[in-house]
Amino acid sequence: MQEQLVIANKKFKSRLFMGSSRYPNHQVMLDSLSASKTEVVTVAIRRVSLKKYNENIIDVLKKKYFILPNTAGCFTIKEAVLTAELAREALKTNFVKLEVIGNDEDLLPDVENLIPAAKQLVKRKFNVLPYCNDDPLICRKLQDVGCAAVMPLAAPIGSGMGIQNQQNIKLIVQESNVPVIIDAGVGTASDVAIAMELGCDGVLLNTAVAEAQNPILMAKAMAEAIESGRNAFLAGRIPRRSIAKNSTTNKGRIHLIKKN
Amino acid sequence: MKKKLIINGKNIFVFSETLLKVLNELEIAKSHNLAIAVNEKVVQKINWKKYKIKSGDIIEIVEPLKGG
């Protein structure tokens, strides 16, 4: 049996973290989450509508999943820290997926603000899981300020392009003392398998399942990719070679002699 | 006397004296997932009943929603 993922003393059986946005409807979301075998579901913190009652599925999710609030859409340290504080009050959790982005277009992490925001939240006893660039130096700095995990992107959010810089991810994994969770940019199951084969501790994804033609089937594929990728990593792959190496011995093969 | 508040970015006039009464006055469903900050400080749920609001307060009322 594989060892469990542990983040800030919390054990997780599944290494797949799932977002809860962009599904065609609530039932497809619930069925997809179930098919993914995830334990962790991310949610956003948003202003309530002052005009009408919004159907809210959070209570349903809370019964079955570990809820990880995020600070999606925050542009400043102040916004991110207050959103995290509100999330803790709303959901009674110290865990937070910290997002501080630079703009609304590329949604890339603004690391200049991300690191001090992480530092403030760690000081306030949060277990901080920062969404960050695939940069080993930034990941090390986030680890040094006390983050419980690092979550480098595979590619821009929602792009579905898969891991763009495998070498950097490999370096982050090698250097990290905290779990490395690939967050954002995954497009399909092979992307997840590659992340796990590189030694990542988990993958967080949303759009790749929610906007697949068959989200439930894609969720199942993602769950299998997590397991296959992790097993392949633990098994230890063969080194890559630039030339062929026969797998069958030549000893004893027939050898025809040319007649004169 | 009516107080002028900024709630979730909108100018709103209320008669209420406390946070809890503001929620009632504005008919905001008091889901246990709600969280409130006044002037950028979280006010814990147990304090809503006694927390006195004043004109000019900036209030954020939020809840968890689907997100990635």
Side-chain angles (χ1 to χ4, degrees), chain A residues 30-233:
Chain A
L30 293 172
D31 291 346
S32 300
L33 293 177
S34 185
S36 77
K37 298 181 183 167
T38 188
E39 284 177 86
V40 180
V41 175
T42 61
V43 299
I45 300 298
R46 290 290 179 264
R47 288 171 164 170
V48 296
S49 168
L50 300 178
K51 287 181 184 163
K52 58 180 175 62
Y53 173 73
N54 279 336
E55 191 186 0
N56 198 326
I57 198 164
I58 301 303
D59 282 330
V60 178
L61 293 176
K62 271 168 78 177
K63 283 180 193 161
K64 198 172 171 192
Y65 300 103
F66 180 86
I67 302 296
L68 176 63
N70 66 33
T71 63
C74 290
F75 293 101
T76 65
I77 300 170
K78 211 183 225 189
E79 282 176 358
V81 171
L82 181 58
T83 301
E85 292 279 13
L86 286 163
R88 175 151 69 182
E89 169 67 9
L91 293 161
K92 308 298 174 207
T93 178
N94 287 329
F95 279 76
V96 65
K97 174 189 161 181
L98 176 63
E99 287 186 45
V100 186
I101 55 171
N103 62 60
D104 256 338
E105 284 161 20
D106 56 35
L107 305 173
L108 290 170
D110 178 356
V111 291
E112 195 179 8
N113 286 322
L114 179 70
I115 295 170
K119 202 172 175 179
Q120 282 192 32
L121 290 171
V122 168
K123 207 172 168 188
R124 296 175 191 211
K125 311 284 181 207
F126 279 90
N127 299 319
V128 181
L129 288 72
Y131 157 67
C132 57
N133 295 86
D134 54 353
D135 179 335
L137 179 62
I138 296 301
C139 287
R140 201 181 315 139
K141 287 185 175 183
L142 288 163
Q143 182 183 305
D144 289 347
V145 300
C147 289
V150 289
M151 302 211 296
L153 50 75
I157 292 174
S159 67
M161 293 196 294
I163 296 179
Q164 294 298 291
N165 195 334
Q166 291 193 25
Q167 190 53 34
N168 270 17
I169 297 296
K170 213 188 271 184
L171 280 174
I172 291 167
V173 168
Q174 280 169 7
E175 292 180 1
S176 188
N177 294 325
V178 295
V180 178
I181 313 288
I182 287 291
D183 179 11
V186 162
T188 188
S190 55
D191 298 332
V192 169
I194 288 169
M196 299 309 289
E197 286 173 8
L198 290 172
C200 292
D201 297 279
V203 175
L204 194 164
L205 60 89
N206 189 152
T207 314
V209 166
E211 293 191 352
Q213 288 180 32
N214 184 334
I216 301 164
L217 191 56
M218 185 58 89
K220 183 175 180 285
M222 296 300 191
E224 289 166 356
I226 283 275
E227 205 177 327
S228 297
R230 182 69 181 169
N231 282 338
F233 169 72

Side-chain angles (χ1 to χ4, degrees), chain A residues 20 44 46-47 62 70 89, chain B residues 33 45 60 63 65 67-68:
Chain A
S20 54
R46 290 290 179 264
R47 288 171 164 170
K62 271 168 78 177
N70 66 33
E89 169 67 9
Chain B
N33 294 323
K45 217 158 287 177
E60 294 288 344
E63 65 183 343
L65 290 175

Side-chain angles (χ1 to χ4, degrees), chain A residues 82 86, chain B residues 35-43 58-62:
Chain A
L82 181 58
L86 286 163
Chain B
I36 301 178
V38 180
N39 302 326
E40 299 181 3
K41 293 246 158 54
V42 173
V43 179
I58 299 171
I59 301 176
E60 294 288 344
I61 307 173
V62 301

Side-chain angles (χ1 to χ4, degrees), chain B residues 4-32:
Chain B
K4 185 185 173 188
L5 306 173
I6 299 175
I7 302 182
N8 290 355
K10 293 192 176 99
N11 287 325
I12 291 184
F13 294 87
V14 297
F15 288 105
S16 303
E17 297 290 322
T18 67
L19 259 187
L20 189 62
K21 285 183 178 166
V22 169
L23 295 181
N24 290 335
E25 188 175 336
L26 298 178
E27 297 179 345
I28 295 170
K30 289 178 288 297
S31 142
H32 49 270

